[in-house]
Amino acid sequence: MYGFSRFYKYPLPLLLLSLWLVAVFLLTDQPAHSQHAAVSNKEKYQSTLLAKTIMPSTLTENVRKTVLENGLTVLTKEVHTAPVVTVQAWYKVGSRNEEPGVNGIAHQLEHMMFKGTLNRPIQFGRLFSALGSDSNAFTSYDQTAYYGTVERNKLKALLVLEADRMQNSQIEPEQLASEKRVVISELQGYENSPEYRLNRAVMQAVFPNHAYGLPVGGTKADVEKFEVEQVQKYYRNFYSPDNAVLVIVGDFQTANTLETIKEVFGKLPKKVRSEKLGVRSKNTFTSSPSLSTPIVLREPGVGRLLQAVYPLPDANQPDVPALDVMDYILTEGRNSRLYQVLVESGLASEVTASVTSLRESGWYEVLVTAGSKQDLKKIDSVLSSAIANVAEKGVTSEEVERAKTQLTADVILSNRDITSQAMRLGNDETTAGDYRYTDRYLAAVRLVKPTDVVAVINKYLTKEARIAGFFEPTQKRITGVGDKPDSAQTTENFSPGVPVIPSEVAKYLPPVDLARDAIARVLPQEFKFSNGLRILLLPDNSTPTITLSGHIQAGTEFDPDDQAGLAAFVADNLLNGTKSKDVLTIAKVLAERGVSLNFQTYREGVHIEGDSLAEDLPIILEILADVVKNSTFPVKELELHRQQTLTDLQLELDEPSEVARRIFVQSIYPKKHPLHTFPTEESLQQIQRRDVIDFKAKHYRPDTTVLALVGDFDLDIVRSLIKNEFGDWEVRGQAPRLKYPAVSMPEKIVSVNPVLSGKTQAVTYMGYTGINRYDPRFHAALVLNQILGGDTLSSRLGAEVRDRQGLSYGIYSSFQAGKNAGTFVIEMQTSPEDSTKAIASTRQILQQIHQQGVTALEVETAKRTFISNYNVSLANPEELTDRILMNEVYGLDKGELHSFTDKIQKVTLTQVNQAARELLHPDKIVVVTAGPSVLTEKSIR
């Protein structure tokens, strides 16, 4: 539900952590990511084949800043591309305002802000869900933010809720005790990661006298000690209009909305702040002491890690743009300096880096995952030498221009949806003190020269200034991954609380205009070429960008038993060379236009993702066509990829979520079933170049490929472009087909507990075989799932297991329905001592709904929520494009894009309860809990 932010690449954007996103594709199979982006320099197309749209001169065009009498800063931006609006409340307080002993109090308060107010003593997540709001929150170093995106007729309702909890949040002892358990569960999840533990140790050394050296989420020791009075005092001190920024972006009228804001927020008073809180409202930054030797963590885990952190200036210092250009030159793409010396050489399997620019300071962080059997000291020496070499010999104008293009394109492409636009405005205003920061920043980026890059390297990236850390694993990570599951009938007798009562929600929900806006039902144009290739095109000139989504029926379901991983091997190596371009040529041009192209392998297919500015659409199509038709799979690149994949596999098998998922799936589907197979070290070693070439020739075909494009283009021109690039893609023979064998339900409860050394949080998967996309119960199952576990705060599972008992940081359920039989799955994260109780409670709720059904009011609330969330999702170009694509892949009418909500609306109470009786089986379920040893011998009564 909640998280804290991490920063990446270009300055100030926020990556919101969410640990339980359910993939569209079957079984949430983790994709094998291709790390490359591809472009081609087809200059001739840029002026002749596409009607260009000029990018607005600034990202803040049409933004209006208003400050109310009580000090509340309001930023508004009208965007009339869809009847959707986002409301975000940003508070100028974060972990920067903490000190040892109360580390994590900002994060704890963020959780408590969902617990209800004096006027609305109800879980706010239930109110947001009833509005159909895509709502969440996060805590960062400099701020805490709350955001929700809804249909525009619910704008005032969101404003009323945010104003209510700005002033009237209730922090009660029982609720705090429950939510402290949730926060501790969250922190234990982070502690499972060696990277997190290493980063915490290094950051404490970099900032020994500043709160930036403390973990944003806090520590278990501090969280356990929080008292109600502490959290209340923190709330009173920092949550007030004069310490907040309200951001609204979307389809509204500014004048009317400002009047509403003054009505709702204007009456809130400023607060008199106490100076003594037990926390600091301001820290004094001092430089870190130099450490001549790296910090070394020798702990349970897998994979050697090197992290180097260099202190940097704050966000408003003039060196920041050059530092970001430097970062792209060092680590972005195959031609980057550090990738060449570390990854191409085989010393490392991955190198990533980011510039973090904050209110009082910043840092440059480099993280290297060592290759198999590689020495961290040697890697560190090569890293330092490579940076020194750049400082001595300089960078080229070509490198600088490519980095500037990439960086600028990334900023533009990341601001296409209204939620992201509001995020940037809120972050710029609270961190840099100016919502126009990104405009100034991009203007400064355009002026960066090679000498500027060298200057900042010499100034900041000295070996004397940095703090380095090594993670050296001490032991194997798992016991018995391959063990046959034990079957056991559990005897827990835990009674869940009273089911969520939807009438309570209606009682506290602000008034909403129930008249729905008429959604413009524009449908994509569909074309099919003689070779069977299908394309769907939907013009959208709201931004000068292109979103491409594609599907090739070449997924892991076709992996041979002894070569599991072959399908991903093919997709991951498509960009490593073609008949006309070698891998470095592709890598060199990929950044020249800032175009991205990625391939992800799932059970039922290979998913293609691409983004570009509108004028560069010919480039993305040319490269895509070249790699799917003409990839050559050079031996050197295949072997390098094999070593990287083997390292990645070791790291995956140190993650409780991945181990639980693997064993869960293999406990449901028997050997020889297409879903049973997962890559192993042995299967990856079996894959030869000839196997890769043969798989590509057999499965990469135009008649099993679908492409969907949404963006700023002319239909006829794009259709012609695609025909020119893909028209000669030949079809040979019949497309491969698979028939999934029927799989029976488990006869009783199957319980498995693989133990991973050194982990603090357990991850549980529960479920069994489910339905496919064509099942007549599909839409009723979606409504049923929304009630059961579709939301971690408002669902039956969330309200009981997560909110009332505080047993899990997150719990969700889903019917993962593909072209073939899917899976019903519940996933949760718990402390090991809470796992058995959480599992028992979950089974009781399943039993309750299976036997007693749900209520008519629950069904109507779930339908409204589901429909609202769906309409909001269509305002995001990436989600819209994926929806168009998958409707075609599943063979659905193109009108499904809009008729889907009508089908949800027609679902009845009888249908939902029938689905509950037929699809929920609490006594015939596979339960896999991975992580620390779980105490299962004690029955819960």
Side-chain angles (χ1 to χ4, degrees), residues 645-691:
T645 304
L646 288 169
T647 300
D648 290 344
L649 176 63
Q650 289 183 323
L651 296 172
E652 286 176 5
L653 294 181
D654 190 46
E655 297 177 4
S657 60
E658 175 64 19
V659 172
R661 185 179 66 88
R662 280 185 171 228
I663 296 179
F664 171 73
V665 171
Q666 293 185 328
S667 300
I668 294 174
Y669 300 104
K671 291 182 179 179
K672 304 299 181 181
H673 191 284
L675 298 183
H676 182 87
T677 305
F678 283 88
T680 64
E681 182 176 349
E682 292 73 22
S683 71
L684 293 173
Q685 294 287 10
Q686 290 290 324
I687 298 171
Q688 303 302 313
R689 180 170 181 266
R690 173 47 56 187
D691 303 318

Coordinates of all heavy atoms in Angstrom, one line a residue, residues 645-691:
T645 N 22.8 -14.4 -17.1 CA 21.5 -15.1 -16.7 C 21.8 -16.0 -15.5 O 20.9 -16.1 -14.6 CB 20.9 -15.8 -17.9 OG1 20.8 -14.9 -19.0 CG2 19.6 -16.5 -17.6
L646 N 22.9 -16.7 -15.5 CA 23.2 -17.6 -14.4 C 23.4 -16.8 -13.1 O 22.9 -17.3 -12.1 CB 24.5 -18.4 -14.7 CG 24.4 -19.4 -15.8 CD1 25.8 -20.0 -16.2 CD2 23.5 -20.6 -15.3
T647 N 24.0 -15.6 -13.2 CA 24.1 -14.8 -12.0 C 22.7 -14.3 -11.5 O 22.4 -14.3 -10.4 CB 25.0 -13.6 -12.3 OG1 26.3 -14.1 -12.7 CG2 25.1 -12.7 -11.0
D648 N 21.9 -13.9 -12.5 CA 20.6 -13.4 -12.2 C 19.8 -14.6 -11.5 O 19.0 -14.3 -10.6 CB 19.8 -12.9 -13.4 CG 20.4 -11.6 -14.0 OD1 21.1 -11.0 -13.2 OD2 20.1 -11.3 -15.1
L649 N 19.9 -15.8 -12.0 CA 19.2 -16.9 -11.5 C 19.6 -17.1 -10.0 O 18.7 -17.4 -9.1 CB 19.5 -18.2 -12.3 CG 18.9 -19.5 -11.8 CD1 17.3 -19.4 -11.8 CD2 19.3 -20.7 -12.6
Q650 N 20.9 -17.1 -9.7 CA 21.3 -17.2 -8.3 C 20.6 -16.1 -7.4 O 20.2 -16.4 -6.3 CB 22.8 -17.1 -8.2 CG 23.6 -18.3 -8.8 CD 25.1 -18.1 -8.6 OE1 25.6 -17.0 -8.7 NE2 25.8 -19.2 -8.3
L651 N 20.6 -14.9 -7.9 CA 20.0 -13.8 -7.1 C 18.5 -14.0 -7.0 O 18.0 -13.8 -5.9 CB 20.3 -12.5 -7.8 CG 21.7 -12.1 -7.9 CD1 21.9 -10.8 -8.8 CD2 22.3 -11.8 -6.5
E652 N 17.8 -14.5 -8.0 CA 16.4 -14.7 -7.9 C 16.1 -15.8 -6.9 O 15.1 -15.7 -6.1 CB 15.8 -15.2 -9.3 CG 15.7 -14.1 -10.3 CD 15.3 -14.6 -11.6 OE1 14.9 -15.8 -11.7 OE2 15.2 -13.8 -12.6
L653 N 16.9 -16.8 -6.8 CA 16.6 -17.9 -5.9 C 17.1 -17.5 -4.4 O 17.0 -18.4 -3.5 CB 17.4 -19.2 -6.3 CG 16.8 -19.8 -7.6 CD1 17.6 -21.0 -8.0 CD2 15.3 -20.0 -7.5
D654 N 17.5 -16.3 -4.2 CA 17.7 -15.8 -2.9 C 16.5 -14.9 -2.5 O 16.5 -14.3 -1.4 CB 19.0 -15.0 -2.9 CG 19.4 -14.6 -1.4 OD1 19.3 -15.5 -0.6 OD2 19.8 -13.4 -1.2
E655 N 15.5 -14.7 -3.3 CA 14.4 -13.9 -3.1 C 13.2 -14.7 -2.6 O 12.7 -15.6 -3.4 CB 14.0 -13.0 -4.3 CG 15.1 -12.1 -4.7 CD 14.7 -11.3 -6.0 OE1 13.5 -11.5 -6.5 OE2 15.5 -10.6 -6.5
P656 N 12.6 -14.5 -1.5 CA 11.5 -15.4 -1.0 C 10.3 -15.3 -2.0 O 9.7 -16.4 -2.2 CB 11.1 -14.7 0.3 CG 12.4 -14.2 0.8 CD 13.1 -13.7 -0.4
S657 N 10.0 -14.2 -2.6 CA 8.9 -14.1 -3.5 C 9.1 -15.0 -4.7 O 8.2 -15.7 -5.2 CB 8.6 -12.7 -3.9 OG 9.8 -12.1 -4.6
E658 N 10.3 -15.0 -5.3 CA 10.6 -15.9 -6.4 C 10.6 -17.3 -6.1 O 10.0 -18.2 -6.8 CB 11.9 -15.5 -7.0 CG 12.4 -16.3 -8.2 CD 11.5 -16.2 -9.4 OE1 10.7 -15.3 -9.5 OE2 11.5 -17.2 -10.3
V659 N 11.1 -17.7 -4.9 CA 11.2 -19.1 -4.5 C 9.7 -19.6 -4.2 O 9.3 -20.7 -4.7 CB 12.0 -19.3 -3.3 CG1 11.9 -20.7 -2.7 CG2 13.5 -19.0 -3.6
A660 N 9.0 -18.8 -3.5 CA 7.6 -19.1 -3.3 C 6.8 -19.3 -4.5 O 6.0 -20.2 -4.7 CB 6.9 -18.1 -2.4
R661 N 7.0 -18.4 -5.5 CA 6.2 -18.5 -6.7 C 6.6 -19.8 -7.5 O 5.7 -20.4 -8.0 CB 6.5 -17.3 -7.6 CG 5.7 -17.2 -8.9 CD 6.0 -15.9 -9.6 NE 7.4 -15.9 -10.1 CZ 7.7 -16.4 -11.3 NH1 6.8 -17.0 -12.1 NH2 9.0 -16.4 -11.7
R662 N 7.9 -20.1 -7.6 CA 8.3 -21.3 -8.3 C 7.7 -22.5 -7.7 O 7.1 -23.3 -8.4 CB 9.8 -21.4 -8.3 CG 10.5 -20.5 -9.3 CD 12.0 -20.8 -9.2 NE 12.7 -20.2 -10.3 CZ 13.6 -20.8 -11.1 NH1 13.9 -22.1 -10.9 NH2 14.2 -20.1 -12.1
I663 N 7.8 -22.7 -6.4 CA 7.3 -23.9 -5.8 C 5.8 -23.9 -5.8 O 5.2 -25.0 -6.0 CB 7.9 -24.0 -4.4 CG1 9.4 -24.1 -4.4 CG2 7.3 -25.2 -3.6 CD1 10.1 -24.2 -3.0
F664 N 5.2 -22.8 -5.7 CA 3.7 -22.7 -5.8 C 3.3 -23.3 -7.2 O 2.4 -24.1 -7.2 CB 3.3 -21.3 -5.6 CG 1.8 -21.0 -5.9 CD1 0.8 -21.5 -5.0 CD2 1.4 -20.3 -7.0 CE1 -0.5 -21.3 -5.3 CE2 0.1 -20.1 -7.3 CZ -0.9 -20.6 -6.4
V665 N 3.8 -22.7 -8.2 CA 3.4 -23.2 -9.6 C 3.7 -24.6 -9.8 O 2.9 -25.4 -10.3 CB 4.2 -22.3 -10.6 CG1 3.9 -22.9 -12.0 CG2 3.7 -20.8 -10.5
Q666 N 4.9 -25.1 -9.4 CA 5.3 -26.5 -9.6 C 4.5 -27.4 -8.7 O 4.5 -28.6 -9.0 CB 6.8 -26.6 -9.4 CG 7.6 -25.9 -10.5 CD 9.1 -26.1 -10.4 OE1 9.6 -26.3 -9.4 NE2 9.7 -26.1 -11.6
S667 N 3.9 -26.9 -7.6 CA 3.1 -27.7 -6.8 C 1.7 -27.9 -7.4 O 0.9 -28.8 -7.0 CB 3.0 -27.1 -5.4 OG 4.2 -27.0 -4.8
I668 N 1.3 -27.0 -8.3 CA 0.0 -27.0 -8.9 C 0.0 -27.8 -10.2 O -0.8 -28.7 -10.5 CB -0.6 -25.6 -9.2 CG1 -0.8 -24.9 -7.8 CG2 -1.8 -25.6 -10.0 CD1 -1.2 -23.4 -8.0
Y669 N 1.0 -27.5 -11.0 CA 1.1 -28.1 -12.4 C 2.1 -29.2 -12.4 O 3.3 -29.0 -12.0 CB 1.4 -27.0 -13.4 CG 0.4 -25.9 -13.4 CD1 0.7 -24.7 -12.8 CD2 -0.8 -26.1 -14.0 CE1 -0.3 -23.7 -12.8 CE2 -1.8 -25.1 -14.0 CZ -1.5 -23.9 -13.4 OH -2.5 -22.9 -13.4
P670 N 1.8 -30.4 -12.8 CA 2.7 -31.5 -12.8 C 3.8 -31.4 -13.9 O 3.7 -30.6 -14.8 CB 1.8 -32.7 -13.1 CG 0.7 -32.1 -13.9 CD 0.5 -30.7 -13.4
K671 N 4.8 -32.2 -13.8 CA 5.8 -32.3 -14.8 C 5.2 -32.6 -16.1 O 4.2 -33.2 -16.3 CB 6.9 -33.4 -14.4 CG 7.7 -33.0 -13.2 CD 8.7 -34.1 -12.9 CE 9.6 -33.7 -11.7 NZ 10.6 -34.8 -11.3
K672 N 5.9 -32.0 -17.2 CA 5.4 -32.1 -18.6 C 4.3 -31.1 -18.9 O 4.0 -31.0 -20.1 CB 5.0 -33.5 -18.9 CG 6.0 -34.6 -18.7 CD 7.3 -34.4 -19.5 CE 8.3 -35.5 -19.3 NZ 9.6 -35.2 -20.0
H673 N 3.8 -30.4 -17.9 CA 2.8 -29.4 -18.1 C 3.6 -28.1 -18.6 O 4.7 -27.8 -18.0 CB 2.0 -29.1 -16.9 CG 0.8 -28.2 -17.2 ND1 0.9 -26.9 -17.4 CD2 -0.5 -28.5 -17.3 CE1 -0.3 -26.3 -17.6 NE2 -1.2 -27.3 -17.5
P674 N 3.1 -27.4 -19.6 CA 3.8 -26.2 -20.0 C 4.1 -25.1 -18.9 O 5.0 -24.3 -19.1 CB 2.9 -25.6 -21.1 CG 2.1 -26.7 -21.6 CD 1.9 -27.6 -20.4
L675 N 3.4 -25.1 -17.9 CA 3.6 -24.2 -16.8 C 4.5 -24.7 -15.7 O 4.9 -23.9 -14.8 CB 2.3 -23.7 -16.2 CG 1.2 -23.1 -17.1 CD1 0.0 -22.7 -16.3 CD2 1.9 -21.9 -17.8
H676 N 4.9 -25.9 -15.8 CA 5.7 -26.5 -14.7 C 7.2 -26.1 -14.8 O 7.9 -26.0 -13.8 CB 5.6 -28.0 -14.7 CG 6.4 -28.6 -13.6 ND1 5.9 -28.9 -12.3 CD2 7.7 -29.1 -13.5 CE1 6.8 -29.4 -11.6 NE2 7.9 -29.6 -12.2
T677 N 7.7 -25.8 -16.0 CA 9.1 -25.7 -16.2 C 9.6 -24.3 -15.8 O 9.1 -23.3 -16.2 CB 9.5 -25.9 -17.7 OG1 9.0 -27.2 -18.0 CG2 10.9 -25.9 -17.9
F678 N 10.8 -24.2 -15.1 CA 11.5 -23.0 -14.8 C 13.0 -23.2 -15.1 O 13.5 -24.3 -15.0 CB 11.3 -22.6 -13.3 CG 10.0 -22.1 -12.9 CD1 8.9 -22.9 -12.6 CD2 9.8 -20.7 -12.9 CE1 7.7 -22.3 -12.2 CE2 8.6 -20.1 -12.6 CZ 7.5 -21.0 -12.3
P679 N 13.7 -22.1 -15.5 CA 15.1 -22.3 -15.7 C 15.9 -22.7 -14.5 O 15.6 -22.4 -13.4 CB 15.5 -20.9 -16.2 CG 14.2 -20.2 -16.6 CD 13.2 -20.8 -15.7
T680 N 16.9 -23.5 -14.8 CA 17.8 -24.0 -13.8 C 19.2 -23.7 -14.3 O 19.4 -23.5 -15.5 CB 17.7 -25.4 -13.4 OG1 17.9 -26.2 -14.5 CG2 16.2 -25.7 -12.9
E681 N 20.2 -23.9 -13.5 CA 21.6 -23.8 -14.0 C 21.9 -24.8 -15.0 O 22.5 -24.5 -16.1 CB 22.6 -23.9 -12.8 CG 24.0 -23.7 -13.2 CD 25.0 -23.8 -12.1 OE1 24.5 -23.7 -10.9 OE2 26.2 -23.9 -12.3
E682 N 21.4 -26.0 -14.8 CA 21.6 -27.1 -15.8 C 20.9 -26.8 -17.1 O 21.5 -27.0 -18.2 CB 21.1 -28.4 -15.2 CG 21.9 -28.9 -14.0 CD 21.6 -28.1 -12.7 OE1 20.5 -27.5 -12.7 OE2 22.5 -28.2 -11.8
S683 N 19.7 -26.3 -17.1 CA 18.9 -26.1 -18.3 C 19.5 -24.9 -19.1 O 19.6 -25.0 -20.3 CB 17.4 -25.8 -18.0 OG 17.2 -24.6 -17.4
L684 N 20.0 -23.9 -18.4 CA 20.6 -22.8 -19.1 C 21.9 -23.2 -19.8 O 22.3 -22.7 -20.9 CB 20.8 -21.6 -18.1 CG 19.6 -21.0 -17.6 CD1 19.9 -20.0 -16.5 CD2 18.8 -20.3 -18.7
Q685 N 22.7 -24.1 -19.1 CA 23.9 -24.6 -19.7 C 23.7 -25.4 -21.0 O 24.6 -25.5 -21.8 CB 24.7 -25.4 -18.7 CG 25.2 -24.5 -17.5 CD 26.4 -23.6 -17.8 OE1 26.7 -23.4 -19.0 NE2 27.0 -23.0 -16.8
Q686 N 22.5 -26.0 -21.1 CA 22.2 -26.9 -22.2 C 21.9 -26.1 -23.5 O 22.0 -26.7 -24.6 CB 21.0 -27.7 -21.9 CG 21.2 -28.8 -20.8 CD 22.1 -29.9 -21.3 OE1 22.1 -30.3 -22.5 NE2 23.0 -30.4 -20.5
I687 N 21.6 -24.8 -23.4 CA 21.2 -24.0 -24.5 C 22.4 -23.7 -25.4 O 23.4 -23.1 -25.0 CB 20.5 -22.8 -24.1 CG1 19.2 -23.1 -23.3 CG2 20.1 -21.9 -25.3 CD1 18.5 -21.9 -22.6
Q688 N 22.3 -24.1 -26.7 CA 23.3 -23.8 -27.7 C 22.8 -22.8 -28.7 O 21.6 -22.6 -28.8 CB 23.8 -25.1 -28.4 CG 24.3 -26.2 -27.4 CD 25.4 -25.7 -26.6 OE1 26.4 -25.1 -27.1 NE2 25.4 -26.0 -25.2
R689 N 23.8 -22.2 -29.4 CA 23.4 -21.2 -30.4 C 22.4 -21.8 -31.4 O 21.5 -21.1 -31.9 CB 24.7 -20.7 -31.1 CG 24.3 -19.6 -32.2 CD 25.6 -18.9 -32.7 NE 25.3 -17.9 -33.7 CZ 25.3 -18.1 -35.0 NH1 25.6 -19.3 -35.5 NH2 25.0 -17.1 -35.8
R690 N 22.6 -23.0 -31.9 CA 21.7 -23.6 -32.9 C 20.3 -23.7 -32.3 O 19.3 -23.5 -33.0 CB 22.2 -25.0 -33.3 CG 21.3 -25.8 -34.1 CD 20.7 -25.1 -35.3 NE 21.8 -24.5 -36.2 CZ 21.5 -23.6 -37.2 NH1 20.2 -23.3 -37.4 NH2 22.5 -23.2 -37.9
D691 N 20.2 -24.0 -31.0 CA 18.8 -24.0 -30.4 C 18.2 -22.7 -30.4 O 16.9 -22.6 -30.7 CB 19.0 -24.5 -28.9 CG 19.6 -25.9 -28.8 OD1 19.3 -26.8 -29.6 OD2 20.5 -26.0 -27.9

